[in-house]
Amino acid sequence: MRGEPGPRPLSATLGLTLASALVWGLAHLRAGRRTAGVVLLSVYGTLLAVGTAAATVLRPEALGLLARPGRLAGVAVATVLAGLWWAALIVASYRVLRPSPLTGVRHALARGVVGLMCAAVLLPSFYAARLAYVGREVVTTVFAERGAAADADPWRGRHRVNILLLGADAAPSRPGARTDSMSVAAVDTRSGRTVLFSLPRNLQHVPMPEGPARRMFPFGFTGDGIPGRPALLNEVYQWAEDHPAMVPGVPAGRRGPELLKRTIGGILGLPIDYYAMVDMKGFARIVDATGGVTVTVKHDIPYGLEGGVLRAGTRRLSGQEALWFGRSRSDGDDYIRMGRQRCLLDAMARQADPFTVLRSFERLADAAKRYISTDIPQESLPAFIALSSKIKDARLESVQFVPPLINTAAPDWALIREKVSAATGAPPASAHRARGDRDAGDARSPEPSPGPTTPFPAEQVPLNASCN
């Protein structure tokens, strides 16, 4: 029997329509259309189970699948179609319930309520499609496309991936950019354990990697050789950009990162696989996009050029305040500043909850496209997303090569490599054995298995650290 005899009150019809919008098929079952109702309810249950699994147990895998431009474009189209289909189902549910004949105000009210229900499912689907489109733009703009087939497990045979993290800054008083923040995250691909090696910007006499740079600076980097002003590690990036012959065959915009990867790889005795760099203007934009960052400041810090002060205490900093907080040297030296920068990044990572990221997604995406650069390929994004879930649950440790451990004017390069080896548990590497110096080896060749080295007591970064 199809349908029920007699009219149904408008309030009951709209209530059942709403219920069917929330749980597909209820209206059809109530109207006696059992086959259609069971089919709709089964589809709803299946989609709900798949969505729950994707959001919980399979979340890294689901996010990894979405980190591909083609799939993101498909998601944008699919969400729009799903919204249209859902709205059509709401209208069909209302019609199948056969309300009593309506005229005038009651008819307009019914149409308005059903229209609101349709809008309630269409607007989120259109917004989700917009986010998918913006995400696709970020992936294609920021991450390199190498055209290689994605490896199901790019970490197979690799115990560690090493990523150079850079914070670049430019000033009106000088051309180009300086990489004032330089750290290498050495990530264990099996456990997610991460050791962060921080290098001060003012390291002098930096040994250069084999090739044109070593031939020009056989006794360490001297830059322009200006009398009385030693060349520092933070100048290598711009030097490479300004001197194409130092990194032959590498295009502008990539020369600086490439030479710096090889240089820092030689210093640490680690092959640097990838880099990621954020312009400090972009850092301020990212902080503002998320509504600020909360940190605990132990001591007052002079702020700005007009006598402002960042007062001690737990406070929420704007992007400009956070940028000054991370850059200021007026209350200490480079090494105090390095500690604040590390703690500031940690605070941002802890406070970047999914709701905040979703709410600010478009502004974050705009800042990422304009101020972040990396050579991590698009094909590796799913693997990095899966690895990030391990990193979140593992230890994060820090080693800073600052005085008194290291004299920045006359660094002990062998000691640095020994400390890196002890902290990672890997055998010591010879100087300059960076990824760019391997003439015939595959950049993805397996690293030696960790030896019986006693781990160096790296500082474990506390999650509630103060930032001063």
Side-chain angles (χ1 to χ4, degrees):
M1 178 177 180
R2 295 171 61 85
E4 292 182 344
R8 180 178 287 107
L10 177 60
S11 59
T13 298
L14 293 177
L16 285 170
T17 302
L18 177 60
S20 191
L22 299 175
V23 181
W24 300 351
L26 291 183
H28 289 74
L29 290 173
R30 187 70 178 86
R33 303 192 178 190
R34 302 185 184 282
T35 301
V38 169
V39 170
L40 288 172
L41 194 58
S42 299
V43 172
Y44 175 82
T46 301
L47 293 177
L48 185 62
V50 171
T52 302
T56 54
V57 180
L58 301 176
R59 184 177 179 183
E61 290 79 1
L63 291 174
L65 290 174
L66 293 179
R68 300 184 185 279
R71 293 204 172 104
L72 285 170
V75 167
V77 173
T79 52
V80 170
L81 293 177
L84 292 171
W85 189 88
W86 200 341
L89 176 62
I90 291 173
V91 174
S93 298
Y94 173 76
R95 287 180 175 175
V96 81
L97 290 168
R98 296 193 306 167
S100 55
L102 302 175
T103 58
V105 175
R106 286 167 58 83
H107 182 63
L109 176 63
R111 296 183 65 177
V113 171
V114 173
L116 286 175
M117 293 182 197
C118 293
V121 298
L122 284 173
L123 292 179
S125 69
F126 291 159
Y127 182 63
R130 170 66 181 168
L131 294 184
Y133 176 77
V134 171
R136 180 181 181 276
E137 282 191 326
V138 172
V139 171
T140 55
T141 302
V142 176
F143 297 93
E145 183 179 9
R146 295 183 178 174
D151 191 337
D153 182 11
W155 315 133
R156 183 171 50 247
R158 301 183 67 189
H159 300 308
R160 189 176 296 104
V161 60
N162 304 309
I163 308 165
L164 176 61
L165 307 174
L166 303 172
D169 201 3
S173 59
R174 52 174 165 76
R178 298 293 184 267
T179 53
D180 283 347
S181 176
M182 293 167 284
S183 300
V184 171
V187 184
D188 188 306
T189 58
R190 297 159 298 181
S191 66
R193 173 181 177 262
T194 300
V195 183
L196 196 66
F197 299 105
S198 299
L199 293 166
R201 69 180 187 91
N202 59 339
L203 281 180
Q204 300 177 29
H205 311 294
V206 176
M208 304 303 287
E210 294 178 358
R214 175 93 61 86
R215 290 193 291 271
M216 174 167 282
F217 304 110
F219 304 108
F221 181 64
T222 57
D224 293 317
I226 299 175
R229 188 184 71 83
L232 308 178
L233 177 61
N234 71 335
E235 299 175 38
V236 171
Y237 175 95
Q238 191 60 42
W239 176 268
E241 289 294 327
D242 295 339
H243 299 80
M246 293 298 96
V247 194
V250 179
R254 297 290 185 185
R255 292 192 286 264
E258 182 61 29
L259 184 59
L260 195 55
K261 281 167 60 178
R262 296 174 58 192
T263 301
I264 291 179
I267 292 172
L268 300 179
L270 289 175
I272 306 299
D273 300 290
Y274 305 105
Y275 86 95
M277 182 172 73
V278 59
D279 185 286
M280 298 313 289
K281 294 183 207 174
F283 176 79
R285 294 281 186 92
I286 291 170
V287 172
D288 283 333
T290 57
V293 58
T294 300
V295 298
T296 299
V297 183
K298 288 184 178 179
H299 309 288
D300 292 352
I301 298 176
Y303 167 62
L305 302 177
E306 300 176 357
V309 176
L310 292 177
R311 297 295 180 186
T314 299
R315 59 187 66 258
R316 194 160 188 84
L317 306 181
S318 68
Q320 189 61 34
E321 289 171 336
L323 183 58
W324 189 274
F325 174 80
R327 296 166 68 183
S328 177
R329 288 192 295 269
S330 56
D331 67 323
D333 52 26
D334 273 342
Y335 317 119
I336 292 177
R337 182 176 72 158
M338 285 173 63
R340 284 204 306 265
Q341 289 173 350
R342 185 198 67 196
C343 195
L344 190 61
L345 292 173
D346 179 64
M348 288 187 64
R350 287 185 287 110
Q351 295 168 33
D353 60 275
F355 176 76
T356 300
V357 172
L358 183 63
R359 182 192 64 199
S360 313
F361 187 76
E362 293 203 45
R363 286 181 292 167
L364 289 171
D366 180 67
K369 289 188 294 182
R370 296 175 61 184
Y371 297 109
I372 293 178
S373 61
T374 182
D375 60 352
I376 295 175
Q378 296 176 15
E379 296 82 6
S380 297
L381 284 179
F384 271 98
I385 291 174
L387 183 60
S388 68
S389 64
K390 296 181 182 178
I391 295 173
K392 183 178 179 181
D393 297 330
R395 290 183 300 163
L396 174 62
E397 301 171 33
S398 176
V399 178
Q400 299 191 60
F401 295 111
V402 298
L405 177 64
I406 297 298
N407 179 357
T408 57
D412 186 337
W413 308 113
L415 176 62
I416 290 177
R417 288 191 294 274
E418 288 174 9
K419 297 300 184 184
V420 170
S421 174
T424 59
S430 60
H432 306 296
R433 185 168 169 74
R435 179 181 176 183
D437 295 328
R438 298 174 181 175
D439 296 329
D442 182 358
R444 295 181 53 193
S445 60
E447 296 179 11
S449 299
T453 311
T454 301
F456 174 68
E459 175 190 0
Q460 187 163 345
V461 179
L463 293 181
N464 60 347
S466 300
C467 289
N468 197 354

